Amino acid sequence: MTKLALSIWFLVWLDSCMARFSMSGPVLTVTLKDLEANSGDSSKWLDISTLRPVGHLSFQSSSPPLPKWAYALKSVRGNIQYNHAECVTAPSAIELDFRFAKEGLGDLQIQPLYNFRKRTTNCVLQATKGNSINIVARLSLGPKRLVDAIKGNFMFDIPGSMSLSALKVSPGINFLRNTPSLTLEGITGSGRTKAVLNLQTNDSTVTVVHALDERNIISPQVSLNNGKIVYNWNVMLDSGSIRTKVDPTEAIDITWTDRSMNGRWVTDFSVPLKGTTLKALASNIRVRRQFSF
């Protein structure tokens, strides 16, 4: 009788736990290669490797996943990833996200990631307190090094200023490359314009991000090392978006995302701006189709 009662209690508890989670997906993305890549061999269109399928299946808790006494754990999310190019018969990676929160102390996120092909386990720790403090540490659970990188984001309000409303300071260090970094971000009172100074050991840049309206955002970027200018323009559409990047010394890159029934289309255009032959100057087009089930 005791075993039966315990079994019933366990089934009821398991059902209540499963009711706290919701599933999203699976989402499958395939790449339709251009004619030049498949020229001369029509059989490649039937080869699944040319489609480069990528997919993921997500789940998340719709309410605190544990009973009320475990008040600190607020949510759990998971993402199972599949990449045909990395692993054909098994998932390529599994990512989890545990969010803990307590009033007065802030939030703590623990995000472990296991890569099946590389057989590595990484973990991201993120501590946040309101909109003013955010500290991120990337860990590698291996024998050589524990901490790969640390970055902090600190927001300071500037009261009484006519031009700036807030200043964001983001120091960081990458232990893998032994490179420190510092980003300073000034935000105007309207919130439509911000200037970003990104100080790196190899290439420092200045970027001005300005929202022309609700749909159009421009963000030219200037390199402090060589004066190179890169232009970015993002347009929000009713059914998607268009992102344009113009590097006068390299290429024009355009990504068009169009939402459709049960998924979306993603088209990438790349037009080189250097080279002397017609083949070197030929544009590269890649079309991807994403299916949401």
Side-chain angles (χ1 to χ4, degrees), residues 108-111 122-127 134-140 146-153 173 175:
L108 174 64
Q109 283 185 267
I110 303 177
Q111 301 167 301
N122 298 327
C123 186
V124 175
L125 301 180
Q126 184 171 187
N134 175 263
I135 300 175
V136 180
R138 188 171 70 247
L139 313 178
S140 291
L146 178 61
V147 182
D148 289 341
I150 297 178
K151 184 176 182 179
N153 299 283
I173 182 170
F175 293 101

Side-chain angles (χ1 to χ4, degrees), residues 25-290:
V27 177
L28 175 65
T29 303
V30 295
T31 300
L32 307 178
K33 299 182 70 175
D34 58 284
L35 291 175
E36 181 181 358
N38 294 315
S39 61
D41 189 357
S42 59
S43 64
K44 288 185 178 182
W45 289 99
L46 302 178
D47 187 358
I48 191 173
S49 62
T50 64
L51 298 177
R52 288 174 285 179
V54 176
H56 69 267
L57 175 65
S58 303
F59 65 89
Q60 62 180 4
S61 58
S62 53
S63 60
L66 294 181
K68 294 182 179 180
W69 54 265
Y71 60 90
L73 182 60
K74 297 301 181 182
S75 66
V76 175
R77 292 186 299 173
N79 187 20
I80 303 174
Q81 305 171 15
Y82 174 80
N83 190 330
H84 183 272
E86 295 183 357
C87 190
V88 178
T89 60
S92 57
I94 294 181
E95 181 180 11
L96 298 175
D97 187 332
F98 303 92
R99 175 178 169 266
F100 300 85
K102 188 174 182 181
E103 187 176 356
L105 294 180
D107 293 5
L108 174 64
Q109 283 185 267
I110 303 177
Q111 301 167 301
L113 171 66
Y114 180 76
N115 188 300
F116 285 88
R117 184 177 66 88
K118 298 179 180 179
R119 296 183 179 180
T120 58
T121 302
N122 298 327
C123 186
V124 175
L125 301 180
Q126 184 171 187
T128 306
K129 187 172 184 180
N131 297 324
S132 58
I133 300 177
N134 175 263
I135 300 175
V136 180
R138 188 171 70 247
L139 313 178
S140 291
L141 305 183
K144 294 184 179 180
R145 180 185 285 105
L146 178 61
V147 182
D148 289 341
I150 297 178
K151 184 176 182 179
N153 299 283
F154 306 94
M155 183 74 74
F156 302 95
D157 294 329
I158 305 177
S161 175
M162 298 296 293
S163 57
L164 291 179
S165 63
L167 176 65
K168 184 177 180 181
V169 181
S170 304
I173 182 170
N174 189 316
F175 293 101
L176 294 177
R177 302 175 181 176
N178 293 321
T179 55
S181 63
L182 176 63
T183 302
L184 302 177
E185 183 176 323
I187 305 172
T188 61
S190 64
R192 296 180 56 184
T193 305
K194 64 180 180 180
V196 181
L197 174 60
N198 188 7
L199 301 176
Q200 304 280 347
T201 56
N202 53 352
D203 188 13
S204 299
T205 59
V206 174
T207 306
V208 178
V209 182
H210 177 65
L212 299 175
D213 49 40
E214 294 181 354
R215 293 179 177 266
N216 294 271
I217 298 177
I218 58 174
S219 54
Q221 182 182 85
V222 181
S223 172
L224 299 182
N225 288 13
N226 51 29
K228 179 180 178 180
I229 302 177
V230 176
Y231 304 91
N232 298 279
W233 178 24
N234 296 340
V235 181
M236 297 299 299
L237 306 174
D238 292 334
S239 60
S241 64
I242 297 177
R243 292 187 292 113
T244 304
K245 177 183 177 181
V246 180
D247 186 339
T249 62
E250 295 291 337
I252 300 175
D253 298 319
I254 302 175
T255 299
W256 174 27
T257 302
D258 183 37
R259 292 192 300 270
S260 60
M261 184 178 297
N262 299 326
R264 61 181 181 176
W265 289 91
V266 180
T267 306
D268 299 316
F269 303 88
S270 182
V271 182
L273 297 180
K274 65 178 183 178
T276 56
T277 64
L278 292 177
K279 185 175 182 180
L281 295 174
S283 61
N284 181 28
I285 300 177
R286 182 177 63 166
V287 180
R288 289 168 288 164
R289 178 67 166 105
Q290 184 181 84

